[in-house]
Amino acid sequence: METVRIALMGAGTVGSALAELLPGHRARFAALGLEVELARVLVRDPSKSRPGIPAGLLTDNPEGFLDDVDVLVEVAGGTTLAGDLVLQALEMGLPVVTANKALLAERWDELRPHAEEGNLYYEASVMAGTPILGALQSLWGNQTLEMHGIVNGTCSYLIRRMEEGASYDEAFQEAKSLGYLEADPNLDVGGIDSAHKICVLGRLTVDPGLSWEKVMHRTRGIQHLTPELLQKARAEGYAIKLVASLFPEQGEWVAAVRPVRLPESHPLVTLGSGRNALVYKGDPVGPLVFAGAGAGGGVTASAVLGDLYRALLGLPGHQPVPSAAPVPAQAAEPFEEV
Amino acid sequence: METVRIALMGAGTVGSALAELLPGHRARFAALGLEVELARVLVRDPSKSRPGIPAGLLTDNPEGFLDDVDVLVEVAGGTTLAGDLVLQALEMGLPVVTANKALLAERWDELRPHAEEGNLYYEASVMAGTPILGALQSLWGNQTLEMHGIVNGTCSYLIRRMEEGASYDEAFQEAKSLGYLEADPNLDVGGIDSAHKICVLGRLTVDPGLSWEKVMHRTRGIQHLTPELLQKARAEGYAIKLVASLFPEQGEWVAAVRPVRLPESHPLVTLGSGRNALVYKGDPVGPLVFAGAGAGGGVTASAVLGDLYRALLGLPGHQPVPSAAPVPAQAAEPFEEV
């Protein structure tokens, strides 16, 4: 039996859920000759108790955090300390599993060579447990035409509550008290979380060098939406949704995030309520639809654990598309921006 | 530039479509330092012309077919000659890309060691271009609970036509004249094609040794359905569909194929008309939905080409689940069999 030692960065909802999932997989790891254990857990406040994690493993000291471990799992978020530790681990040759879409989107130039070598595993970074990265990696035989997703559940919640008549501020306060909002709520309502995600997906499908700055430049949030606007759209047979899209425009790939009007029969509407959903269109495959839960500690941890299996079995991580795809002439689905 | 030589077995709709797709990917392969060419193409009748394939490459001689090639692409179907050539290539250490679900289902004992080594690529074998294998491979962090799919478009077509009032025989003759039926139509209407596919999916998710004989034993087709039965179900708010399922039963994983009554609001009904669809339920991820075209030459060839990219880049093929998953106690979705 080979012992595998995990350095876990972050013990919030996802980190705690992962720690709680691991014991249930002990027998399956044992069947592979592996005993998986948490070596240490890096947190901001080691005095706070964390479900499923022995207090003795908690530390707030990044020095020596990676000593004698076999893999880094990073579910802390943020682009500074998390990014530095992820890069340190990768440079040491450790596989890294991360759920951190902000880091992937914003520090890609540093991460990309390691991703191309197959050392970076990030299924959990987009649509949480819905295995969209695994799916998109199988589509390189297509000419990608366009891709549209609802990838931020918090915005979907706010929009639904406003459709039911709540004001933006009421809906926002509800989401806050339910724990749905990021520490910086602008990540959600400003569309930035969605922008991070479409940026990650774009690099897996059309351009391994897709620029985060360009995506940010085309990102708008939902702060200007009102119950009146949403209800008027519904009365006309449309639903307004915050959609992250990738499409061709004047010979370039564009990734953009903005609220759009969708016909109520569109799969992003029929499937998207209370879950994430994504439509991919390629030639020759045609339209594909993926949907599932896009948030939640356990849901996200399931994708982290799936990546951990792959890392421990020596299977490669998530590879960006190997070369930039041609930009099609076809116009994108003509959504009306709101 | 490295030249990669493909041995292509089969030049029917999928093989011809692949040959027609390849030139459009020349630049992308070149960016990876690869020049991909067809070395030779094995067919039953080399005198017949095949779109996109120079006549000089056609041969009906399996002797020497694998000489001096780098990869075998098998899209001929059948379990005898195709199986022998696939195994011969694998034993020579060649990567093999195949769309052949019958072969995978029925000769798994011989293929499994090569699949576990990562030398076998078979995204095209289930749901054609819809990347269900890539998706399911990312779900090992879940306890699988159940899985239900509409994975045979021909049966969906026959059922739709009978709902519209055609008799079984009329619908069957239409499907035949449209080229929708396999050479042996019992593969479609007897549920065997669906059984092949759920068998492949079950090995990727819950049991790498799932027995084909047991799946066959639980397989029923649609030959007993009538317009009256289908229309009565619709009048009651249900749709009858041929569903391939994987679920726990008395402490064992069972894979089964049979027509069932589904509520009209079920995602397999709302998404399944004219396309393949699959619902996966796992803990903690919850329900996931995948849908897309499940047949067609180009659609299937896109998955073959995607696999070819992965094989040529040295990325591993489709791995069965690394160890058998525990069988959950939860009862499966209680579909009513018809």
Side-chain angles (χ1 to χ4, degrees):
Chain A
M1 196 71 75
E2 184 193 341
T3 300
V4 175
R5 289 164 55 81
I6 300 176
L8 174 63
M9 179 176 185
T13 49
V14 180
S16 293
L18 178 67
E20 291 182 303
L21 277 181
L22 281 172
H25 284 255
R26 200 165 282 154
R28 298 179 70 183
F29 279 121
L32 307 174
L34 300 173
E35 187 170 355
V36 176
E37 62 175 45
L38 292 177
R40 58 188 78 89
V41 182
L42 188 64
V43 291
R44 278 205 202 90
D45 179 2
S47 69
K48 199 167 134 190
S49 105
R50 319 274 175 165
I53 302 176
L57 299 182
L58 298 170
T59 174
D60 59 359
N61 185 5
E63 290 296 315
F65 177 62
L66 299 173
D67 290 354
D68 303 317
V69 302
D70 301 292
V71 54
L72 169 63
V73 173
E74 185 275 303
V75 290
T79 57
T80 51
L81 177 59
D84 296 343
L85 266 177
V86 162
L87 282 160
Q88 188 189 334
L90 289 167
E91 275 148 27
M92 290 164 67
L94 296 181
V96 172
V97 178
T98 179
N100 191 336
K101 63 235 59 168
L103 173 61
L104 288 159
E106 299 186 18
R107 293 184 67 177
W108 182 239
D109 288 349
E110 298 159 272
L111 295 169
R112 179 176 167 184
H114 301 284
E116 287 175 342
E117 277 168 23
N119 255 343
L120 194 54
Y121 302 76
Y122 46 103
E123 182 62 74
S125 66
V126 184
M127 294 176 77
T130 304
I132 192 66
L133 272 61
L136 292 182
Q137 281 201 150
S138 292
L139 293 171
W140 295 340
N142 286 282
Q143 164 69 60
T144 297
L145 300 174
E146 56 188 306
M147 187 155 69
H148 305 280
I150 292 176
V151 293
N152 181 285
T154 305
C155 287
S156 296
Y157 175 84
L158 292 175
I159 288 173
R160 191 163 66 251
R161 289 294 295 121
M162 285 194 276
E163 284 178 342
E164 291 163 3
S167 72
Y168 180 88
D169 288 337
E170 285 164 356
F172 185 92
Q173 289 308 324
E174 280 175 24
K176 194 170 175 183
S177 66
L178 288 164
Y180 289 176
L181 283 162
E182 301 267 357
D184 172 5
N186 190 44
L187 288 174
D188 290 312
V189 298
I192 299 165
D193 173 74
S194 297
H196 287 146
K197 290 167 177 169
I198 195 70
C199 187
V200 170
L201 297 184
R203 291 169 184 155
L204 283 165
T205 44
V206 301
D207 181 359
L210 192 70
S211 147
W212 164 243
E213 283 68 28
K214 285 195 182 171
V215 182
M216 253 318 277
H217 193 66
R218 295 286 292 256
T219 293
R220 295 172 55 228
I222 62 163
Q223 300 99 326
H224 61 293
L225 298 183
T226 61
E228 294 69 33
L229 209 56
L230 294 165
Q231 289 165 351
K232 180 167 174 288
R234 283 289 185 179
E236 292 164 2
Y238 288 84
I240 294 174
K241 299 279 183 185
L242 185 70
V243 173
S245 295
L246 181 82
F247 53 86
E249 190 183 78
Q250 298 176 334
E252 267 194 25
W253 283 112
V254 171
V257 176
R258 68 283 180 246
V260 299
R261 279 162 67 97
L262 297 171
E264 282 183 336
S265 60
H266 195 284
L268 289 183
V269 181
T270 56
L271 283 166
S273 180
R275 57 177 88 183
N276 279 194
L278 187 129
V279 174
Y280 170 96
K281 291 188 188 175
D283 178 34
V285 79
L288 302 174
V289 180
F290 308 94
V299 170
T300 308
S302 75
V304 171
L305 183 53
D307 277 354
L308 197 56
Y309 269 102
R310 299 184 68 78
L312 299 184
L313 288 165
L315 297 170
H318 299 97
Q319 313 255 344
V321 63
S323 62
V327 184
Q330 288 92 329
E333 206 168 325
F335 295 144
E336 186 189 333
E337 195 164 335
V338 180
Chain B
M1 197 71 78
E2 183 192 342
T3 300
V4 175
R5 289 165 55 81
I6 301 176
L8 174 64
M9 177 175 186
T13 48
V14 179
S16 294
L18 179 67
E20 291 181 303
L21 277 181
L22 280 173
H25 284 255
R26 199 165 282 153
R28 298 180 70 184
F29 279 121
L32 307 175
L34 300 173
E35 187 171 354
V36 176
E37 63 174 44
L38 292 178
R40 58 188 78 88
V41 182
L42 187 64
V43 292
R44 279 205 201 89
D45 178 3
S47 70
K48 199 167 133 188
S49 104
R50 318 275 175 164
I53 302 177
L57 299 183
L58 297 170
T59 174
D60 59 358
N61 185 4
E63 290 297 315
F65 177 62
L66 298 174
D67 290 355
D68 302 317
V69 303
D70 301 290
V71 54
L72 169 63
V73 173
E74 185 275 303
V75 291
T79 57
T80 51
L81 177 59
D84 296 343
L85 266 177
V86 162
L87 282 160
Q88 188 189 332
L90 289 167
E91 276 148 27
M92 290 164 68
L94 297 181
V96 172
V97 178
T98 179
N100 191 336
K101 62 234 64 170
L103 173 60
L104 288 158
E106 299 186 19
R107 293 183 69 176
W108 181 239
D109 288 349
E110 298 159 273
L111 295 169
R112 180 176 166 184
H114 301 284
E116 286 174 343
E117 276 168 25
N119 255 342
L120 195 54
Y121 302 75
Y122 47 103
E123 182 61 76
S125 66
V126 183
M127 295 176 78
T130 305
I132 192 67
L133 272 62
L136 292 181
Q137 281 201 149
S138 292
L139 293 171
W140 295 341
N142 285 281
Q143 164 69 60
T144 298
L145 300 175
E146 55 188 306
M147 189 154 72
H148 305 281
I150 293 176
V151 293
N152 182 284
T154 305
C155 288
S156 297
Y157 176 83
L158 293 175
I159 288 173
R160 191 163 66 249
R161 288 294 295 121
M162 283 195 276
E163 284 178 341
E164 291 163 3
S167 72
Y168 181 88
D169 289 337
E170 285 164 358
F172 185 92
Q173 289 308 323
E174 281 175 23
K176 194 171 174 181
S177 66
L178 289 164
Y180 290 174
L181 283 162
E182 301 268 356
D184 172 5
N186 191 45
L187 288 175
D188 290 311
V189 299
I192 299 164
D193 173 73
S194 297
H196 287 145
K197 290 168 177 168
I198 194 72
C199 187
V200 170
L201 298 184
R203 291 169 183 154
L204 284 164
T205 44
V206 300
D207 181 359
L210 192 72
S211 146
W212 163 243
E213 283 69 29
K214 285 195 183 171
V215 182
M216 254 317 277
H217 192 66
R218 294 287 293 256
T219 294
R220 293 173 57 228
I222 62 164
Q223 300 99 326
H224 62 293
L225 298 183
T226 61
E228 294 69 33
L229 209 56
L230 294 166
Q231 288 165 353
K232 180 168 174 289
R234 283 287 185 180
E236 292 165 2
Y238 288 83
I240 294 174
K241 300 278 183 185
L242 185 70
V243 173
S245 294
L246 181 81
F247 52 87
E249 189 183 81
Q250 298 174 336
E252 266 193 28
W253 284 111
V254 170
V257 177
R258 68 281 180 248
V260 299
R261 279 162 67 97
L262 296 171
E264 283 183 337
S265 60
H266 195 284
L268 290 182
V269 181
T270 56
L271 282 166
S273 180
R275 56 177 89 181
N276 279 195
L278 186 129
V279 174
Y280 169 96
K281 292 189 187 176
D283 178 33
V285 79
L288 303 174
V289 180
F290 309 94
V299 170
T300 308
S302 75
V304 171
L305 183 54
D307 277 354
L308 197 57
Y309 268 101
R310 300 184 67 78
L312 299 184
L313 288 166
L315 296 170
H318 298 98
Q319 312 256 344
V321 63
S323 61
V327 184
Q330 287 92 328
E333 206 167 324
F335 295 145
E336 186 188 334
E337 195 165 336
V338 180

